[in-house]
């Protein structure tokens, strides 16, 4: 009788272990599906996957935290759009709450620390782009500690490497840009070189964040000195090849073409982007900005008429689309006026751009407008795929 009881208990343990493994595999499969759909530009379908994950696995924070990733992809093109703020905050808080419950039950749960760290950093990012830097720093530092704890508990948890690397990289930039923060206790802790290495390793070695890391690495390669335009082009070409219907990736591809001086390619790709079909309101918004690239590229190769025709897509009294659009359209109008010799009119547009309360994505337009006020705009000298630029041109990216 006692042997039968032992056998029965052993069977129960095997069943429990099998159920746990099935559950974990199911979560992993849903996460992979949702991430893939997000990168394909099928954000509504990804939302349904995250809802399924939350329903079928209510005690797992994955569905909440990954939902925020999809929401940020919606908001990334226009951070001035506040329509997603409430959903980002709610899903981040729910993911954090569930992760905290799991950590309270088992402090050594590495994945719970990973999800809690990501949820807190999501909240910190939202606070930061809305200018609430105290709470942004507080959330960010709490998130960093949990991500570091996750890696300490499980050094093989590659998924934690990307968000931690992202935080390290940008926190290092923040501390260099805002020296006055150093007296506050929440000062972000970051090491830019370590952060960049983590992002590069994620791009190379996979994990659920591999595509995110590749997209961010392409952006970093174009955004910060030293510029690595060839690297950025390689990364974004690969992503566009695998996710051709993702309009935001296509937009990034055009950005890389412009930055590398391939202006004819910019014009061709902007037509392809604009002629795309399907998707949601975000895709429509992104496509509506394609003529701006044609106008800017046209100016660089001397196609003034083409640039003028492209700018007709942006009426003077039209609403900003997106929030940063007015600054870049105004800058391009000013540069066009400079090229045709209407210096006084150009200066008036440069002044309007400088006076705008511009969001992050258009600050460089304001900086270039200040350059334009000091020195009339002149096209670069194109030489095949390489071009010589005036100081500041390589930083011009809408």
């Amino acid at each position: 009788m006692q042997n039968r009881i032992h056998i029965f208990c052993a069977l129960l343990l095997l069943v429990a272990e099998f159920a746990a493994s099935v559950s974990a595999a199911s979560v992993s499969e849903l996460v992979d599906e949702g991430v893939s759909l997000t990168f394909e530009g099928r954000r509504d379908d990804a939302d349904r996957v995250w809802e399924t994950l939350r329903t079928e696995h209510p005690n797992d924070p994955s569905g909440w935290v990954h939902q925020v990733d999809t929401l940020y992809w919606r908001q990334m093109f226009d951070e001035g759009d506040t329509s997603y703020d409430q959903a980002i905050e709610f899903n981040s808080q729910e993911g954090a709450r569930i992760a905290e419950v799991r950590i309270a039950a088992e402090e050594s749960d590495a994945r719970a620390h990973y999800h809690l760290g990501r949820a807190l950093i999501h909240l910190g990012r939202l606070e930061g782009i809305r200018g609430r830097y105290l709470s942004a720093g507080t959330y960010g530092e709490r998130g960093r500690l949990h991500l570091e704890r996750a890696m300490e508990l499980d050094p093989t948890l590659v998924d934690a490497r990307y968000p931690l690397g992202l935080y390290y990289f940008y926190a290092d930039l923040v501390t260099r840009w805002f020296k006055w923060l150093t007296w506050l206790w929440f000062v972000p802790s970051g090491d830019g070189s370590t952060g960049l290495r983590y992002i590069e390793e994620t791009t190379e070695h996979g994990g659920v964040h591999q595509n995110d890391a590749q997209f961010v690495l392409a952006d970093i390669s174009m955004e910060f000195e030293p510029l690595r335009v060839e690297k950025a082009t390689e990364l974004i070409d690969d992503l566009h090849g695998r996710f051709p219907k993702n309009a935001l990736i296509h937009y990034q591809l055009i950005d890389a073409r412009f930055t590398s001086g391939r202006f004819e390619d910019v014009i061709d790709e902007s037509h392809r982007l604009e002629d795309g079909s399907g998707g949601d309101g975000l895709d429509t918004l992104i496509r509506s900005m394609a003529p701006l690239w044609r106008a800017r590229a046209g100016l660089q190769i001397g196609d003034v008429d083409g640039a003028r025709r492209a700018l007709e897509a942006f009426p003077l009294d039209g609403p900003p689309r997106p929030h940063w659009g007015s600054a870049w359209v105004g800058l391009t109008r000013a540069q066009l006026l400079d090229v045709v010799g209407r210096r006084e009119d150009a200066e008036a547009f440069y002044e309007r751009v400088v006076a705008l309360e511009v969001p992050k994505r258009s600050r460089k337009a304001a900086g270039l407008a200040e350059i334009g006020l000091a020195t009339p705009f002149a096209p670069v000298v194109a030489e095949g795929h390489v071009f010589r630029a005036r100081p500041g041109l390589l930083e011009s990216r809408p």
Side-chain angles (χ1 to χ4, degrees), residues 347-362:
E347 289 176 337
F349 271 98
Y350 286 133
E351 289 171 354
R352 286 170 60 175
V353 173
V354 171
L356 288 172
E357 293 184 8
V358 293
K360 175 183 176 182
R361 198 168 186 135
S362 52

Side-chain angles (χ1 to χ4, degrees), residues 151-182:
M151 291 183 62
E152 176 187 340
L153 289 167
D154 183 0
T156 68
L157 185 56
V158 295
D159 290 344
R161 201 166 276 260
Y162 166 69
L164 186 58
L166 202 63
Y167 185 78
Y168 279 171
F169 183 83
Y170 285 103
D172 190 17
L173 289 177
V174 166
T175 55
R176 281 187 274 143
W177 287 344
F178 300 104
K179 298 295 185 182
W180 53 271
L181 290 176
T182 55

